[in-house]
Amino acid sequence: MSPQIIDGKAFAATVREQVKDYTHGLKQQHGITPGLAVVLVGDDPASQVYVRSKGKHTVEAGMNSYEHLLSADTSEAELLALIHQLNADPAVHGILVQLPLPPHLNEALVINAIDPSKDVDGFHISNVGLLATGQKAMVPCTPLGCLMMIREYCGILTGLNAVVAGRSHIVGKPMAQLLLAENCTVTVVHSQTRNLPDILRSADIVVAAVGKPLFVQADWIKPGATVIDVGINRVEQEDGTTRLVGDVDFESVKEVAGAITPVPGGVGPMTIACLLANTVTACCRLNALPEPGFLNPIT
Ligand code: GUN
C-alpha cells in the first residue's frame, strides 16, 4: 500500500488563507489590524532568512509586520527596553525574538520579559505552564503545526500510541503535552533512551525531532503509522553539493508508513503558518474578541 505523503506546503497555504480571511474580518468589523514584531539580534544568515520570510508572510496575510534588526553587540538592557516598549504598544499583538541569541544575552531572561499574551512562540514560562496544565496557552508553532497535520490524517487520537523523539523545549516537550491533551499514550525518547527502536515500533504516531539526519529507520516503524519529520538537516553529497534531509530516512520509511511528511515541504511551511495563526489568536484575546477556534486546538 502506498503511503499518503502529507503536503505541508498545501496545508500551510490553506491555514494562511484562513488567517488572511479572519484578519480581513477583524479590519472590516473592528478596525483592528493584527501586528507581529520580530526581533533579530546579530547577523546569523539562517536567522536572517527566517526573519525575512516571516515578515513577507505576515504582510501577505494582511497583517502589520514590525522588524527590529539589532547589532550583535546589543546589550541585555537595550534588548529588554525594546521588549518593554513592544509589550506596551497596542499595535503589536505578537512578539517573537529570533533564537538563538548571541551568547552574552540570557535567553530565558529575554523570553520571560515578553508579555505572555503577546508570546506567539509560546516559549514564556507562563505559557509553558498553562499548556502543561491543560489551560488556554499560546502554543509553540512547530508542534502546533504537527498536531494540525496529525489530526488531519489520524482523526480522533484518543488511545493511540504516540512516540516523540527529542525532548527540546521548542518541539519535543510541547509536542508531548499536546498529544497528551488529545488522550494519546505518549512516550518521549531521547539520546539516552535504551531500546529506542523497540519503543518506536509500538507507535501509531511518530514525531521525529532529534536533529540527526536520516536517523529513523524503516524497520523501527509500525506498518501504517503516521510519521511526522521535524528535522531540517543540510548534508553534503558525494558530488560536493548539499541537500536538505529530515530526521527520518524518508525513502525507506515511506514504504512502511501510512502517512509521512517530506523534507522539505512538510512541517517547515506549517511553522510560519502557525505563527500567523497565533498572532491572530493573540490579537483576538488582547481585544476580547472571539478567536478563530479552527486555528488553535487548545482553547
Ligand atoms: N529559531 C529557530 N526556530 C525558532 C522558533 O520557532 N522561534 C524563535 N523565536 N526562534 C527560532
Side-chain angles (χ1 to χ4, degrees):
M1 208 180 73
S2 55
Q4 285 187 283
I5 308 297
I6 302 175
D7 187 347
K9 216 168 148 184
F11 202 143
T14 306
V15 173
R16 289 201 306 270
E17 270 312 302
Q18 290 172 326
V19 169
K20 192 172 176 177
D21 287 349
Y22 211 89
T23 297
H24 185 71
L26 285 173
K27 274 191 215 175
Q28 294 288 308
Q29 290 161 34
H30 305 284
I32 297 170
T33 302
L36 172 64
V38 175
V39 180
L40 173 63
V41 186
D43 41 24
D44 175 65
S47 293
Q48 284 173 332
V49 171
Y50 284 132
V51 166
R52 265 200 299 275
S53 178
K54 284 166 187 166
K56 176 177 147 278
H57 281 109
T58 304
V59 171
E60 279 175 10
M63 300 194 247
N64 290 327
S65 168
Y66 307 101
E67 271 180 24
H68 295 268
L69 307 178
L70 309 182
S71 66
D73 62 357
T74 300
S75 71
E76 205 159 81
E78 285 170 316
L79 181 54
L80 291 174
L82 172 61
I83 290 173
H84 292 145
Q85 181 197 318
L86 296 172
N87 284 346
D89 186 342
V92 172
H93 306 98
I95 302 170
L96 179 148
V97 177
Q98 185 68 27
L99 302 178
L101 287 170
H104 67 283
L105 299 170
N106 180 334
E107 226 158 72
L109 186 81
V110 170
I111 295 302
N112 290 324
I114 297 172
D115 177 343
S117 55
K118 296 188 179 187
D119 168 36
V120 282
D121 259 331
F123 295 166
H124 189 288
I125 196 79
S126 299
N127 283 315
V128 175
L130 289 168
L131 178 61
T133 51
Q135 300 179 71
K136 197 184 238 187
M138 294 307 302
V139 178
C141 304
T142 299
L144 180 57
C146 293
L147 181 64
M148 284 184 184
M149 293 194 284
I150 293 167
R151 276 180 159 185
E152 179 81 4
Y153 284 84
C154 299
I156 305 285
L157 307 184
T158 295
L160 295 182
N161 288 343
V163 175
V164 179
R167 52 178 160 175
S168 70
H169 298 322
I170 294 182
V171 183
K173 285 178 187 167
M175 188 75 247
Q177 299 290 0
L178 285 172
L179 291 165
L180 268 179
E182 297 283 327
N183 300 313
C184 289
T185 303
V186 181
T187 308
V188 179
V189 296
H190 49 76
S191 56
Q192 306 304 311
T193 297
R194 294 181 192 167
N195 303 327
L196 187 144
D198 284 343
I199 297 170
L200 276 179
R201 277 184 208 109
S202 72
D204 303 300
I205 299 164
V206 173
V207 180
V210 289
K212 292 184 187 166
L214 309 175
F215 178 68
V216 175
Q217 304 295 309
D219 64 346
W220 303 358
I221 298 297
K222 177 168 154 178
T226 296
V227 179
I228 306 292
D229 189 351
V230 181
I232 304 177
N233 309 288
R234 194 167 284 284
V235 293
E236 195 162 334
Q237 303 186 97
E238 280 174 10
D239 64 2
T241 59
T242 61
R243 74 178 173 119
L244 282 186
V245 299
D247 290 351
V248 174
D249 185 356
F250 180 82
E251 288 306 323
S252 64
V253 171
K254 79 173 172 18
E255 302 301 328
V256 187
I260 183 168
T261 59
V263 177
V267 173
M270 285 299 284
T271 296
I272 289 191
C274 289
L275 173 67
L276 304 178
N278 275 352
T279 304
V280 172
T281 299
C283 177
C284 293
R285 289 180 187 171
L286 285 159
N287 288 285
L289 292 169
E291 58 189 81
F294 55 85
L295 296 173
N296 192 342
I298 303 293
T299 51

